Amino acid sequence: MISGIEATRIDPAISPKPEARIRLVDVHLAFGPQRVLRGVNLEIFSGETLVVVGRSGEGKSVLLKVIDGILKPDKGEVWVEDQRIDTLPPRALNEFRRRIAMVFQGAALFDSMTVEENVAFPYRERRLLADKSIRERVVENLRRVHLVDPGVLRKKPAELSGGMKKRVGVARALSMEPEIILWDEPTTGLDPVTADAINDLILEVQQSTHATSVVVTHDMASVFKVGNRVAMLNQGVIVYTGTVEETRETENAMVSQFVQGRAQGPLTEGLPVG
Ligand SMILES: Nc1ncnc2c1ncn2[C@@H]1O[C@H](COP(=O)(O)OP(=O)(O)OP(=O)(O)O)[C@@H](O)[C@H]1O
Ligand SMILES: [Mg+2]
């Protein structure tokens, strides 16, 4: 048995614990014959930043989409506080999803919209604010991601660098004023300096919003800079959870090899791609 498994096993009979903001109980999800999640048990505590690591293709993005309600598990339960979300009807789910911001792996901006329209989108969708206030908030959210040149507002995503796109993606997430932020490989594909700036940004967002965050990353600098706890996904289950300090010194071979950047066994897909 891999050490750490016991620590993450949750008795489904126990009702959601108040301290766990997000709780996955025995979550299974397959695409046809491919069983991607095979009994994920995971708790994410209020206000923490949990980093999820695992090899390429293990199902990390799928896991975030399950938490966000985009994908429904075939079996198991997904709880956010005392709300079970995997069984919510579409309307209630849409309402619920406004509390969660996903910063997608490829930024996932709307290509036909300008930066301003992209960042304004969550406000427009909620129809709570007048145009002038929306514009002010858009400018403010872009300032928070250090995009201060007014010219950027009118640009389309195709005119931005990879790092700028990620920043715009973060600004759009901030426009949701989220309680939960899911970051899918925020630094992948960026040079080390830009990647470090994005890590700083994750910390800044964390400090200013106090959101509960889940960060999927292959970037060990990111793990140690932004994380409070680490979870490892392997072969469809969470095989390890521990604090960042515990993870540095873990005797779990799979985790320590990952942390030290050495592959264990043949990699199925080569290097991770953004
Ligand atoms: N919508 C989908 N339909 C069919 N298969 C899918 C779908 N989404 C993901 N998969 C498959 O599920 C597996 C896990 O995908 P996922 O994107 O979660 O991997 P990952 O751990 O995020 O990898 P990476 O580190 O490369 O981003 C992959 O084999 C992928 O092809
Ligand atoms: Mg992924």
Side-chain angles (χ1 to χ4, degrees), residues 3-274:
S3 74
I5 281 192
E6 282 307 315
T8 60
R9 196 148 276 170
I10 299 157
D11 182 352
I14 300 173
S15 63
K17 292 183 201 151
E19 70 268 29
R21 190 80 192 263
I22 304 166
R23 220 162 67 98
L24 281 77
V25 184
D26 195 28
V27 167
H28 292 249
L29 179 58
F31 298 104
Q34 188 189 5
R35 294 164 62 221
V36 178
L37 304 181
R38 307 183 204 174
V40 167
N41 289 305
L42 184 63
E43 287 190 312
I44 302 156
F45 304 118
S46 204
E48 79 169 339
T49 299
L50 177 80
V51 179
V52 178
V53 298
R55 290 196 284 174
S56 191
E58 284 288 348
K60 304 179 301 299
S61 297
V62 166
L63 181 70
L64 290 188
K65 287 174 188 165
V66 165
I67 295 172
D68 196 23
I70 302 172
L71 289 174
K72 274 197 198 298
D74 303 323
K75 182 174 166 239
E77 299 171 8
V78 183
W79 294 83
V80 174
E81 293 163 353
D82 57 357
Q83 173 88 67
R84 184 166 169 191
I85 62 154
D86 57 292
T87 50
L88 280 180
R91 239 186 127 133
L93 182 63
N94 276 342
E95 198 55 43
F96 164 79
R97 289 190 59 222
R98 295 194 175 152
R99 295 162 56 187
I100 302 190
M102 172 97 99
V103 181
F104 285 94
Q105 198 158 350
L109 301 174
F110 301 114
D111 288 333
S112 62
M113 293 186 189
T114 63
V115 166
E116 178 173 4
E117 286 161 350
N118 264 284
V119 179
F121 189 81
Y123 292 120
R124 301 232 180 267
E125 228 187 357
R126 281 176 296 179
R127 297 196 188 105
L128 293 176
L129 296 171
D131 286 353
K132 184 163 169 285
S133 317
I134 290 179
R135 193 181 175 108
E136 282 166 9
R137 290 201 200 190
V138 165
V139 170
E140 168 60 15
N141 290 343
L142 286 168
R143 189 194 61 72
R144 286 167 80 187
V145 299
H146 310 285
L147 287 174
V148 289
D149 173 5
V152 86
L153 287 168
R154 289 186 302 277
K155 290 206 158 132
K156 295 266 178 73
E159 301 170 83
L160 305 175
S161 72
M164 286 168 92
K165 276 188 208 161
K166 296 238 178 194
R167 285 173 190 277
V168 174
V170 175
R172 188 177 60 187
L174 290 172
S175 297
M176 296 179 69
E177 297 169 3
E179 294 163 40
I180 295 167
I181 309 182
L182 309 174
W183 306 80
D184 198 354
E185 299 202 20
T187 60
T188 300
L190 302 177
D191 69 79
V193 176
T194 310
D196 195 49
I198 294 281
N199 285 332
D200 283 333
L201 185 58
I202 296 172
L203 281 173
E204 282 169 36
V205 167
Q206 187 55 27
Q207 278 152 13
S208 64
T209 63
H210 303 291
T212 301
S213 304
V214 185
V215 182
V216 165
T217 188
H218 289 277
D219 168 5
M220 286 304 134
S222 192
V223 171
F224 293 116
K225 188 156 187 177
V226 308
N228 303 119
R229 270 190 327 129
V230 179
M232 185 168 197
L233 183 66
N234 191 63
Q235 301 198 336
V237 293
I238 299 292
V239 292
Y240 168 88
T241 56
T243 64
V244 164
E245 295 74 30
E246 286 162 356
T247 303
R248 272 186 213 279
E249 284 160 21
T250 180
E251 288 175 10
N252 180 320
M254 200 187 292
V255 178
S256 69
Q257 283 172 337
F258 199 90
V259 168
Q260 286 155 22
R262 283 185 284 123
Q264 24 90 40
L267 281 171
T268 49
E269 288 187 308
L271 289 174
V273 286

